Each structure stands twice: as structure tokens, then as C-alpha cells.
Amino acid sequence: MSTKPTTTDLQWTELDQRAVDTARILAADAVQKVGNGHPGTAMSLAPAAYTLFQKVMRHDPADADWTGRDRFVLSAGHSSLTLYTQLYLAGFGLELDDLKSFRTWGSKTPGHPEYGHTTGVETTTGPLGQGVANAVGMAMAARYERGLFDPEAAPGTSPFDHFIFAIAGDGCLQEGISGEASSMAGHQKLGNLVLLWDDNHISIEGDTETAVSEDTAKRYEAYGWHVQRVEPQENGDLDPAALYAAIEAAKAVTDKPSFIAMRSIIAWPAPNAQNTEAAHGSALGDDEVAATKRVLGFDPEKTFEVADEVLAHARKALDRGREAKAEWEKGFAAWRTANPERAAEFDRIAATELPAGWEEKLPVFETGKGVATRAASGKVLQALGAVIPELWGGSADLAGSNNTTIDKTSSFLPADNPLPEADPYGRTIHFGIREHSMAAEMNGITLHGNTRVYGGTFLVFSDYMRNAVRLSALMHLPVTYVWTHDSIGLGEDGPTHQPVEHLASLRAIPGLNIVRPADANETAIAWREILRRYTKVFGKGNPHGLALTRQGVPTYEANEDTTKGAYVLFEAEGSDGQSAEPEVILLATGSEVHVAVEAREQLQAAGTPTRVVSVPCVEWFDEQDQGYRDSVLPPSVKARVAVEAGIGLTWHRFVGDAGRIVSLEHFGASADGKVLFQEFGFTAENVANVAKESIAAAQR
């Protein structure tokens, strides 16, 4: 049996200790049953997780989405049983059979926690370090939410005050994304964030001395965090009382995020497997599991043993949660009475509804005028910012280039920041040159709820963000990425900054919608459609990436069919100037649409009826019924040319065997954008000639 905590500050009984040890043997049994998984960390972290879920956090297991709850993020997602055992014990809806079906088809307990799949899981974790950045984003969102609804309340008195708790391992803190996010959290002085580090000195390759030698606690001090270290008990086990005291001390520090280093022994108290790398990612083996059960006072012949009195004791979390929620609701009701207008705003935002008349604020751009779509996007954001207070965001230090400043007078920064526009509840986020953590923080902001976030950088730097973007899609999160400088058209910065493979690569991510508007009016309509598509229903939201031009492009008449992903921008005409059946169809996106339009003019002048189809979003087009898709791309028209200044991977299925693609199958070069378009064939003349090739191929 494990040793009791060494102080009396925490109410801790034999049943509490038995519940912790039960979590340990459940983790060992679950991995042993399926034959694979990560038992060691779940065993050693059981005291920390139990202390959080049973003694610290404000939550209601019967209402896992309660607005006033504290949030918990398991950044070390491989140790999913750390979370699953606590969700089971506390009564979030998991039962013993769910633990028995760990890592099997259709279970509620997949190998890594999945948002929307298992009640009580706040975010999908697995790629290490992502959860740290998610937690930072949640803490940012909590502060912004407070600013929306209750900015004048004294600290700790608002119904919108709550904490974000996260557990990270050595792997999380070695990943660069956690360093980016932790730097941001320290700079923002997020006093509502508590990060617990499982300092067990073990990774897959053995002792962490193989790869790490810095003083991690000192590193977090340098980031501006409040740092504590919790030493284990004499037997090597985590000390819940010492941990509880450290957490309470962390909660009392309101002007810094808190970092708690917990020295643990992986797989404690397994007699032979503890403190070994094998315990990280492999089943312990029947003999070692039985030996561990003997150490803890369990029957080695039984599996998934949970005493009735232990479960009944742990399930009292339901009663405490009900009481905590009822107490919170009293304060929330008082706030509603005192703030009727803000309460109405809260109800609207919580229902994911947009303000009445918001669409009327969208700008309409004059036709013919050359406007960069990044500039059009900036005008849209500034127009909507005045009427949609929950909309906020920024850039990875490229706001002037991305046009992502929603309010120049209001920066999301601590009150004591020296900048004159600093506001702890500000609209414009300065993410810094931290693209990867920016994307993961945006995920956390969206997961927290009650705000709508966007973030910008150059399209080529989406490479830095990719894993977090993938998780946006995996979790169906309606975040918006603003990616500008979307082609070789940016010119002199050269191939390091010119995206070539990125559009096709990003379109390959399931559930991510890439929108590349042709002009300013398509940009405004795209923003409107993206905001309309926001939904809080699990599995229905999608992230969007806006790919926007640096260079000016001609502006066409606004067309509502932009929302369908592809539409006829210019119809084919016969010699009489009337609509005619197209002999060839030119498909294009973004800055190449005007090239296709100019090519059409040449083809029409030569007597070739030519249709131009703008394709701002392939994914939206794929959603349309077959009838609409055939009306835009009639199957009878085999001659087709797709034009996009990137690799042509996207377009083969649209152009068919007789079709042709004007694409860029190599990197760019350093020169003026117009020169590059000329040199690489993105000209009306070349597109017209390629169209003639396609017509000839279709006639064979």
C-alpha cells in the first residue's frame, strides 16, 4: 500500500489512497489486456491526476461542458489512461467496460484522448507539446471572455474566473512548440494557467540525460513563470499533500503562469519495471502486473479490480460538482441581473449566433480596381470587428503584411505592458514569431469556447504550423488561418518565401477547407461564409485557410456562388455575343483567375467559345450536389485547362484525360512577381495556347 501524504493540509483518507492505487492497477490491466500502450506514466501520475480531479478542480462530471468549469489538458497524451481512469472514477460517463476495451475498435478509450469522442476530454492530444500550447490558448481565451462579459469584477470574483490545468512530460517540454507557447504565456502573464511537469527522467531511448541537460525549472523562470518543485515521498511516490499545497500556492499567484515540477518514478511501484524506459510504452507483462498488485495490496489473480466502497467514494465528485455548479449559478444569476445587455450578448455568443445585421457591414469593392486580396481581407476584419466583439486574432509578427490588425488601439497584452495600446482584454493578438504555437493556441482558444479566432502568417510558413493545423481538422475546430503571400507573385523574396507545394499539400488534409479568392469581392464573401459555417455541434465545424495575394488583382462583380466553391465567372459566347456552349473551360484560383479571363478574351476573339470558372474552394465545391457541379463543369466539355501557380496535384481529377494544367512543378526564383509569371508561363498567351492543345486532345 502506498504511503499517506505527509501533511494534514489536504483531506486524504485511506479510500483516497486506495482510489489512487486502483487507478494504477487499472492502467496496468488495461494495457496488459490489449497488449500495447503506455502504462508507466499513468501509474506514476495517478496521485497527481486524482488530486486534481477530486480535490482541486471545479467541474461537474454530470455536465462536462459547464461554462464555469476549470479545464484540464493532458499534454502527455500517450498517457491517456491517466485521464481515462479519473473520468471513470469521478463519474464522467466512462465505466469499467470502457477501460477493458482500451485501444480497441469503437471504444470510448482510444490510444490518445480525442476531443468530441470521450466526455471530459477537452482536447485531442498525442503529438507532444501540442497540449501545452492548447492550454495557453485556453488561458488566453478565458481572459478575453472575461473582458467581453465581466471586465470590471475584482480578481477571483467573476463567474468567468477559472483555471486551466495541464500535465506535460519530458517529451512535451523538449518539443519546440511548448517553448514557443510557454514564452507567450509568460509574456502574457497568464495567472490562470497551472502546468504540472512530470519530471520522471525517462523517455523512449532511456534516461533523458541522453538528450537534455538544461535546468528546465530555471528555463521557466526565465520565461516569467512562477516555479515550484514538489519532491516525492521517501518511498519515491508522488506526495499528494505537497502537490496540493503547490497547486494552491500557484492559484494564489495571479500575475504569472505557474510551473510545478513533480519528480516521479515511472511505473511506480512495479518492482522491476519502475524507472525503466520499457515501462513507458510497453505492457508490463503478467508477472510484473501481478507483482505490482501484491505491492499495493490487490489480489494478483483478479483483473480490473475496483472495490465498491472505492468507486462510491470517488463518485462523490458528482455531488461536489453539483454543489459547485449550483453555487456558481447563483453568482452567474446575480451577474445576469446586474448586466442584462452583457447577458444577452453572452446568450447570443454561447449559441454561436452572430449579431443582427452583421452582414450589412461587409464591404463591397468597386469593380475593375486592382486590390490585393490580403488588403481586402484586412478591410473585412476591420469592418466586422466593430460589430462582432467575439471576433479577435492577430499574426505571427506579420500583421502589417497579413493585414490582420482588427483594432490598432487595442492589443491583447497585460495591463502593465509599456505599449500605449496594451489592454488585458484587447482585440489584437501579437503571437510573435511563433507560428507553430500560434496555431495550437488558436485551437485552445476555440476549444475554450465563446470567441472566434483567426491568425495570420505567410502561406509558405504554414509548414511550421502543419501539425497543429492537422489537429484543427481532426477536432473539427472552426479556426481561421489567414495565409498571405500565396504564390510566386510575391516576387523578390525568392523561393524560400514562395509557396509552390503548399496549396495542394494543405488541401490533402481531410476537413481543412482552403479558400483562395480571385479578388476583393470573393474575399469578402468568403469571410462571410466562413463565419456563417461556425457551429458548436461536435463533428460539424471545420477549419478554414484563406490564401491571399500580396499583389493587386482586378476586382469583378460580387457573385454569391462564391459560397459554392466554384462558379461560372464568365460564360462562353458565340459569334453573336450570346451565351453559347463552351468549347473549352478554363478553371483558375486566386491571382491566376485574371490570367484565365485574359486568355478567354483571346480565345473568344479567335472564335473559340470559352468559359472561365473561378474555384475559390475545392472543398466547398465538392459539397455541392452533382447537378450543380455538372452545371459548372459539364461532362460533355472535355477540353479543360486548370491554372494555378503551384503544383498541379489538385487539378487532375477536374480536367480529365484531355485536359491540361498550367502549374508550377518546381521552386520559384527571386525577381519581380510579374517577371516570374511571364517566365513560368502564367500568361494569357500561354494559357490560350494550352487551351488549344486541350481542344485538340478532346477531338481525337
Side-chain angles (χ1 to χ4, degrees), residues 197-243:
W197 170 39
D198 178 29
D199 180 20
N200 65 26
H201 292 206
I202 292 292
S203 63
I204 291 175
E205 294 185 3
D207 194 301
T208 53
E209 289 288 341
T210 59
V212 179
S213 55
E214 78 259 21
D215 188 326
T216 302
K218 289 292 185 183
R219 177 158 64 93
Y220 272 79
E221 286 182 8
Y223 287 144
W225 289 54
H226 170 244
V227 175
Q228 301 175 82
R229 178 168 286 282
V230 173
E231 298 297 341
Q233 301 177 69
E234 290 184 5
N235 64 358
D237 193 12
L238 283 176
D239 186 343
L243 182 59

Side-chain angles (χ1 to χ4, degrees), residues 56-57 70 163 165 191 194 228 246-254 258:
V56 173
M57 290 197 303
D70 292 334
F163 288 93
F165 296 97
V194 180
Q228 301 175 82
I247 293 171
E248 291 300 303
K251 290 167 63 177
V253 177
T254 60
S258 285

Side-chain angles (χ1 to χ4, degrees), residues 168-189:
D170 288 303
C172 295
L173 300 194
Q174 288 177 43
E175 287 285 359
I177 186 174
S178 67
E180 293 179 20
S182 297
S183 174
M184 178 69 159
H187 178 67
Q188 287 289 347
K189 300 186 176 180

Side-chain angles (χ1 to χ4, degrees), residues 97-158:
D97 283 345
D98 296 311
L99 298 180
K100 292 178 180 179
S101 60
F102 177 57
R103 284 179 164 240
T104 61
W105 176 265
S107 77
K108 295 180 182 179
T109 51
H112 292 78
E114 296 179 18
Y115 169 74
H117 182 77
T118 308
T119 301
V121 172
E122 299 277 8
T123 180
T124 297
T125 52
L128 293 174
Q130 291 282 333
V132 174
N134 291 165
V136 172
M138 291 179 185
M140 292 167 65
R143 190 169 90 195
Y144 188 75
E145 177 190 48
R146 194 188 199 279
L148 284 176
F149 304 125
D150 204 14
E152 296 90 3
T157 65
S158 171

Side-chain angles (χ1 to χ4, degrees), residues 642-649 651 661-666 680-682:
V643 188
E644 187 170 69
I647 65 171
L649 189 62
W651 301 106
I661 302 170
V662 178
S663 62
L664 194 67
E665 303 299 324
H666 54 79
F680 294 142
F682 293 94

